[in-house]
Amino acid sequence: MRPDDSLPAALPAALPDALSEVLPDDLLERIRGRAAGYDRDNAFFHEDLEELAAAGYLKIFVPAADGGLGLGLAAAAQLQRRLATAAPATALAINMHLVWTGVAHVLAARGDASLDFVLKEAAQGEIFAFGNSEAGNDSVLFDSRTTAAPDSGGGYAFTGRKIFTSLSPAWTRLGIFGKDTSAGDGEGQLVHGFITRDTPGYEILADWDTLGMRASQSNTTVLDGAVVPAERIFRKLPVGPNADPLIFAIFACFETLLAAVYTGIGERALTLGVEAVKGRTSFKNGGRSYAQDPDIRWKVADAAMAMDALYPQLSGVAADVDALAEHGGQWFPKLVGLKVRATETARTVVDLAIRVSGGSSYFRGSELERLYRDVLAGMFHPSDDESAHNTVANAWLGPLETA
C-alpha cells in the first residue's frame, strides 16, 4: 500500500514507477484481499503465487536478457517490503525463491558462475525453495545433521529431516545440504545440491499448523536417500565457519529479504494504528478523537520513530550488497543486526498499534490480530537473537577467551 499525505512522515516514499509496475496497486489489493482467508483456512497462497509469477515477480533477479527484471537486492527488498504490507506469509514464502535466485545474482556479480543455472531455470519458470533448516542444529550453515552419502557417479544420497520448508506445495527445485563423513579428515564436508520435484526419496509432511505465517505452508521435508546427481551438486565446504562466497551470499540475501518482510509488517501495523486512532472517539472526553489524546499520540510517535530508523538501514545494507561494498569483518554483524532490528522493531510496532487500536484488534479476523501472530515468527528465523549478538560482540571485542 502506498502511503498518502494523511499518514505519518515516517512512512517511506512510494516505490519508483518501474518497481510499482512489477507490483501494482490492483495486484497488491487482490493479494491483501485473500490473506485473511488463507490464514483462516491454513491454506497455501496458490492464487497469489500464480498472479505474482505471471507478473514476472519471481524473476526479479533474472537478467533482462533472459526475460527477467534484472534487478538487484535493493530493489528486491523494496518490493518484498511492499508485498508484506498486504500478505506477510505470502512474502515470507516468496523470500525463499528470491533468496536462491538472489544468491545466484550476488555470486555472479562477484565473478562466481556456479549458480548461474539457478537464474536460467528461474527464467523458465522453476520455483526454488530452501531445505536447509534442521531441528536442533544451531550451527545453521556450518554443520548438518543430514547425511550425504557419496555414490560412484559423483552424486550424493541425502538422508535427514528438514524443517520450515516454505513453498512446500509449489517448489520445483529444493536446495538441500548434508554432511559427508567419508572424506577421511575427521570432520567431513558439507555438500550442497538441488533435488527436483520428481526426485525419489523424499516426503513432505502435512504438519504446518502454526500460530502465524500459515499460508507459507512451511512443512517438514523428510529425506530418505534422495539422490542429487553430480551435475546438481554445486558446493562442498568444510564443517565450521568459512569465508566461501556462498556463505556470504546466502546470509546477505536471506537476512536482508527477511528484514524487508518484517519491515513491511511494521509499516502496515503503523498505518492501521494511525487509521484506528483517527477513527476512535473518547466518551469521557466528549467524543473527541483519540488522535487528540496525548498518551495515544506518544505511542504512535514511538512506533513512527522506530520505523523511521529501520527504513534507511534496510535500504543501506541492500544497496551495499549491490555495490560490492567492502565491509570486511563487519559484513556479518551488519546483516544479522539488520535482521534482529527489523524483526524486533516490527514486533514492537505491532504491539503499539494494537494498544492504540482498542479491543476490536483482539478479535479473530482483525488484520492487526493476524499481524500480531505473524510477526512472532521473526524470533525463530536465523540468525536468532543470541547468535546475532554473539556475532556482533565477536566483531567488536574479539572472540571469548578459552581457558
Side-chain angles (χ1 to χ4, degrees), residues 182-256:
S182 69
D185 60 2
E187 290 288 336
Q189 60 182 352
L190 300 173
V191 182
H192 295 257
F194 287 96
I195 62 172
T196 64
R197 195 78 183 186
D198 58 0
T199 298
Y202 76 87
E203 179 186 4
I204 297 173
L205 305 183
D207 61 353
W208 190 250
D209 189 5
T210 52
L211 181 67
M213 294 296 187
R214 289 162 65 80
S216 71
Q217 288 301 295
S218 305
N219 294 296
T220 296
T221 303
V222 179
L223 304 171
D224 186 13
V227 174
V228 178
E231 63 270 20
R232 306 292 292 186
I233 298 294
F234 63 89
R235 250 344 176 265
K236 298 177 185 179
L237 299 175
V239 173
N242 65 82
D244 190 277
L246 175 69
I247 303 301
F248 169 77
I250 290 176
F251 267 91
C253 294
F254 190 93
E255 302 291 70
T256 303

Side-chain angles (χ1 to χ4, degrees), residues 132-171:
N132 284 357
S133 296
E134 300 167 338
N137 179 11
D138 55 2
S139 293
V140 193
L141 289 175
F142 300 140
D143 204 346
S144 178
R145 304 180 71 173
T146 296
T147 62
D151 62 26
S152 58
Y156 286 82
F158 289 79
T159 300
R161 192 180 185 93
K162 303 294 187 177
I163 60 173
F164 299 136
T165 313
S166 300
L167 291 172
S168 282
W171 61 259

Side-chain angles (χ1 to χ4, degrees), residues 15-356:
L15 291 180
D17 288 341
L19 297 187
S20 294
E21 291 175 4
V22 180
L23 192 57
D25 290 345
D26 58 343
L27 173 55
L28 195 72
E29 289 309 311
R30 288 195 298 275
I31 290 172
R32 188 190 311 282
R34 292 189 285 256
Y38 291 144
D39 174 78
R40 180 193 63 239
D41 300 336
N42 194 29
F44 185 66
F45 57 96
H46 287 289
E47 295 91 345
D48 290 359
L49 182 60
E50 182 178 350
E51 288 208 67
L52 289 168
Y57 196 88
L58 303 186
K59 301 178 183 179
I60 288 173
F61 290 110
V62 173
D66 293 330
L69 302 181
L71 300 175
L73 188 59
Q78 288 192 64
L79 287 166
Q80 281 294 87
R81 173 182 60 77
R82 177 168 161 82
L83 179 58
T85 65
T90 293
L92 183 66
I94 292 292
N95 252 11
M96 299 304 104
H97 172 84
L98 293 181
V99 167
W100 272 129
T101 55
V103 166
H105 167 82
V106 167
L107 288 176
R110 288 157 176 78
D112 184 335
S114 61
L115 284 180
D116 281 2
F117 71 89
V118 168
L119 294 173
K120 293 185 182 302
E121 292 183 9
Q124 297 164 0
E126 304 296 348
I127 299 174
F128 288 79
F130 247 78
N132 284 357
S133 296
E134 300 167 338
N137 179 11
D138 55 2
S139 293
V140 193
L141 289 175
F142 300 140
D143 204 346
S144 178
R145 304 180 71 173
T146 296
T147 62
D151 62 26
S152 58
Y156 286 82
F158 289 79
T159 300
R161 192 180 185 93
K162 303 294 187 177
I163 60 173
F164 299 136
T165 313
S166 300
L167 291 172
S168 282
W171 61 259
T172 63
R173 303 287 188 267
L174 182 67
I176 58 176
F177 85 123
K179 184 160 61 176
D180 172 16
T181 57
S182 69
D185 60 2
E187 290 288 336
Q189 60 182 352
L190 300 173
V191 182
H192 295 257
F194 287 96
I195 62 172
T196 64
R197 195 78 183 186
D198 58 0
T199 298
Y202 76 87
E203 179 186 4
I204 297 173
L205 305 183
D207 61 353
W208 190 250
D209 189 5
T210 52
L211 181 67
M213 294 296 187
R214 289 162 65 80
S216 71
Q217 288 301 295
S218 305
N219 294 296
T220 296
T221 303
V222 179
L223 304 171
D224 186 13
V227 174
V228 178
E231 63 270 20
R232 306 292 292 186
I233 298 294
F234 63 89
R235 250 344 176 265
K236 298 177 185 179
L237 299 175
V239 173
N242 65 82
D244 190 277
L246 175 69
I247 303 301
F248 169 77
I250 290 176
F251 267 91
C253 294
F254 190 93
E255 302 291 70
T256 303
L257 292 174
L258 193 70
V261 168
Y262 285 88
T263 300
I265 294 176
E267 178 182 338
R268 180 61 177 169
L270 177 57
T271 298
L272 293 172
V274 169
E275 291 174 352
V277 166
K278 289 182 175 181
R280 294 179 67 204
T281 56
S282 172
F283 179 75
K284 71 177 181 181
N285 287 324
R288 297 181 69 200
S289 167
Y290 271 96
Q292 302 304 310
D293 184 308
D295 294 327
I296 297 295
R297 294 171 67 88
W298 181 283
K299 288 181 171 62
V300 171
D302 260 358
M305 287 189 288
M307 291 303 302
D308 202 27
L310 182 52
Y311 298 125
Q313 185 178 6
L314 174 63
S315 297
V317 169
D320 278 0
V321 174
D322 286 341
L324 279 65
E326 292 290 347
H327 289 304
Q330 286 294 328
W331 251 127
F332 286 96
K334 284 180 179 292
L335 293 168
V336 300
L338 170 62
K339 181 269 174 179
V340 169
R341 170 165 291 185
T343 54
E344 292 300 311
T345 296
R347 191 156 61 94
T348 297
V349 170
V350 172
D351 183 78
L352 286 168
I354 285 178
R355 288 175 185 271
V356 301

